[in-house]
Amino acid sequence: MKKVLCMMMLSISGLNVQAADLSKKFIEFGYVQSDFGDKSKVEPDGIKLGFGYEFENGLYTSFSVKRQGDTIESGPRQLDIDIDENYFELGYIAYETSDGRFSFGGGLGEMDWHLKHYTLEGDFYRFFTEYEHRFNEYFSGYARLGYEYFDPKGAKNNEGAWAELSVQAHMGESSIVLSYFDSQGVDQLGLTYRYAF
């Protein structure tokens, strides 16, 4: 999967590039990898699919799906772990200039951990502020800061601050997005192909 995405990035980079346009109307798919810290051997990776839509009044919404997996060595045995995440958010663009936009919003999601015969399910809630910026006609990016609350069934709640940074290279309606997400105990890298409509 990593090789396919790298080849896709190299092939698209040879296309004619066009001006960066800040828009939340898109469909996307790509690769994502998570890291649960130095004390954990769990580093699942997998795919991400997403859809976003921006309304004329400044409201926007998006939905994303992540499916990740990993194999853990536990003595002589191997344990497969699967992590499924679904996330929906709603935001509002409160201020806009020629090169940037400031927005705020919230989202809700669900995450399921499957390890052999054990399943951990939980809901999470996020609030955030975001600033998008157009660096030049070919590149844009955004920074998000927020707070999240994770409520797993039958386990301890987890809450705290989170942040996400992203850089986007535009090639007409197509773009490549490199993102980094950091929350309570989880780091996540993503490489995504996005098509704006």
Side-chain angles (χ1 to χ4, degrees), residues 25 43 59 90-91 99 114 121 134 136 141 148-149 151-153 158 164 172 175-176 180 186 196:
K25 292 182 180 179
E43 294 184 356
L59 286 173
L90 182 66
D99 291 326
H114 306 282
E121 301 175 344
R134 182 184 296 108
N136 56 39
E148 73 175 356
Y149 177 79
D151 183 20
K153 297 175 183 175
N158 191 14
E164 184 176 13
S175 60
I176 298 295
Y180 172 72
V186 181

Side-chain angles (χ1 to χ4, degrees), residues 24 26 51-53 60-64 87-91 144:
K24 294 189 178 292
F26 64 85
F51 170 82
Y53 192 81
Y60 63 87
T61 184
S62 68
F63 179 74
S64 65
Y87 179 63
F88 171 80
E89 73 178 23
L90 182 66
R144 287 181 155 200

Side-chain angles (χ1 to χ4, degrees), residues 28 53 125 151 156 179 183:
E28 65 180 5
Y53 192 81
Y125 310 92
D151 183 20
K156 184 180 178 182
S179 61
S183 68

